[in-house]
Amino acid sequence: MRVGVLTGGGDCPGLNAVIRAIVRKGVQEYDYDFIGFRDGWRGPLEGRTVPLSVPAVRGILPRGGTIIGSSRTNPFDAEHAGQGVRRIRENLDKHEVDALITIGGEDTLGVAARLSGEYGVKCVGVPKTIDNDLSATDYTFGFDTAVGIATEAIDRLHTTAESHMRVLVVEVMGRHAGWIALHSGLAGGANVILIPEQRFDIDQVCAWVDSRFRASYAPIVVVAEGAAPAHGRMVLKDDTHDSFGHVRLSGVGEWLAKEIERRTGKEARTTVLGHVQRGGTPSSFDRWLATRFGLHAVDAVHDGAFGVMVALRGTDIVRVPIADATARLKTVDPALYAEAGVFFG
């Protein structure tokens, strides 16, 4: 049996750990043959492949990124003029691929759900996203590493904020879900945390900032890139869209710093962590989770359990329909966000 593997969407730490686990178990226990499709869904569309063997995946466990590349290619967008499914099928047949393991987030797995449910392509999904916003799984790999990077940055920024007694605004990733902002903000001792799920009042933010200065401390404000003011629009970097229709975010941190400085008279600076949250060595938790996902994904292929995604429930890895996992986003519960409010100001 030949199994294809692809990694789609934004890269994140732990992707190589999944690939390694899939290949190691698939070859050693099931005698499968593996082929990697390059650059997400672009690989099956264009027939771009790379062989995956045990020697090929040796030593990649601690490496960030993905050895087979990634992209935000969407086979169902207008660019492919309705020919995406046909081209994918032709290339799967050409390379004699019997099943496809798709590693990705909402968009990548959304494509897998359609291919599996509507067109009969044999897919097994593996959830990855630093945003941790996929429903049906307690955690996605990549999230723990991103939170650790953001927390370390906040720790470092405290000292420079105190040295100059200025406001430091830290913008972290999080388009529709504020998990990174909430976890890193709490862990890093931020004085204000702003998330996409709760529109913020800029006057209240400034009041918290003033309160912090009255206590002779410099405030740290952590804001997710998708957070928006109560009265106004989400701040966008520009109006371009990717192939899945997402606008390009980033800019709310800079806007917030200018507003705080204008309203409070206190000097404010912005640090945008951006793609540094995606890069580098995966944490031990992400290596552990990604490895287990890979092992269970190849088991699902062996069992003929297609159209499912492997998911973490407690400490168990379970199988859930891909369509259910991508039907809605997992967002921060208001009660959970409210817990952090005691530290604001």
Side-chain angles (χ1 to χ4, degrees), residues 31-53:
D31 198 28
Y32 287 171
D33 184 29
F34 290 92
I35 186 171
F37 283 101
R38 294 283 310 173
D39 303 329
W41 287 111
R42 188 180 299 154
L45 280 167
E46 300 177 0
R48 302 173 60 193
T49 65
V50 58
L52 290 176
S53 61

Side-chain angles (χ1 to χ4, degrees), residues 148-220:
I149 291 168
T151 301
E152 181 180 358
I154 295 167
D155 286 346
R156 292 175 180 274
L157 289 169
H158 272 293
T159 58
T160 186
E162 296 291 348
S163 296
H164 294 274
M165 288 305 288
R166 60 166 60 123
V167 185
L168 278 179
V169 177
V170 185
E171 183 184 300
V172 299
M173 284 185 168
R175 177 179 296 275
H176 300 297
W179 294 108
I180 295 177
L182 181 63
H183 281 236
S184 64
L186 274 174
N191 312 110
V192 181
I193 302 171
L194 305 176
I195 62 176
E197 294 88 340
Q198 301 278 339
R199 284 185 170 260
F200 61 86
D201 183 338
I202 186 63
D203 291 327
Q204 178 63 73
V205 171
C206 290
W208 284 326
V209 166
D210 282 331
S211 173
R212 183 70 173 173
F213 276 115
R214 286 197 298 272
S216 298
Y217 289 99
I220 299 286

Side-chain angles (χ1 to χ4, degrees), residues 64-294:
T66 165
I67 62 169
I68 56 177
S70 190
S71 75
R72 297 188 185 278
T73 304
N74 181 3
F76 294 104
D77 67 8
E79 178 185 345
H80 298 96
Q83 299 300 309
V85 175
R86 178 187 60 78
R87 289 165 59 187
I88 287 174
R89 279 178 158 166
E90 287 177 352
N91 283 312
L92 291 179
D93 289 341
K94 175 183 176 182
H95 292 283
E96 300 179 326
V97 173
D98 301 295
L100 193 59
I101 297 178
T102 58
I103 309 165
E106 173 197 7
D107 297 324
T108 301
L109 294 180
V111 171
R114 288 192 64 182
L115 288 174
S116 178
E118 299 176 27
Y119 302 98
V121 178
K122 295 178 179 179
C123 294
V124 170
V126 177
K128 73 89 206 160
T129 166
I130 66 170
D131 289 337
N132 197 41
D133 60 0
L134 274 177
S135 61
T137 184
D138 290 349
Y139 286 98
T140 55
F141 69 87
F143 171 68
D144 185 72
T145 304
V147 169
I149 291 168
T151 301
E152 181 180 358
I154 295 167
D155 286 346
R156 292 175 180 274
L157 289 169
H158 272 293
T159 58
T160 186
E162 296 291 348
S163 296
H164 294 274
M165 288 305 288
R166 60 166 60 123
V167 185
L168 278 179
V169 177
V170 185
E171 183 184 300
V172 299
M173 284 185 168
R175 177 179 296 275
H176 300 297
W179 294 108
I180 295 177
L182 181 63
H183 281 236
S184 64
L186 274 174
N191 312 110
V192 181
I193 302 171
L194 305 176
I195 62 176
E197 294 88 340
Q198 301 278 339
R199 284 185 170 260
F200 61 86
D201 183 338
I202 186 63
D203 291 327
Q204 178 63 73
V205 171
C206 290
W208 284 326
V209 166
D210 282 331
S211 173
R212 183 70 173 173
F213 276 115
R214 286 197 298 272
S216 298
Y217 289 99
I220 299 286
V221 178
V222 175
V223 57
E225 61 186 355
H231 305 289
R233 298 176 54 209
M234 182 185 294
V235 180
L236 305 177
K237 193 161 191 138
D238 55 49
D239 292 328
T240 59
H241 293 69
D242 66 18
S243 61
F244 288 95
H246 300 310
V247 293
R248 188 179 179 190
L249 297 183
S250 185
V252 65
E254 184 178 351
W255 176 86
L256 195 59
K258 289 179 179 177
E259 283 296 307
I260 290 172
E261 188 166 298
R262 183 177 69 83
R263 292 166 181 254
T264 67
K266 304 295 186 181
E267 186 180 9
R269 294 288 186 271
T270 307
T271 297
V272 180
L273 295 184
H275 288 80
V276 70
Q277 294 160 95
R278 294 191 180 281
T281 301
S283 67
S284 58
F285 178 83
D286 279 340
R287 297 185 205 188
W288 171 84
L289 181 58
T291 297
R292 293 193 68 203
F293 278 160

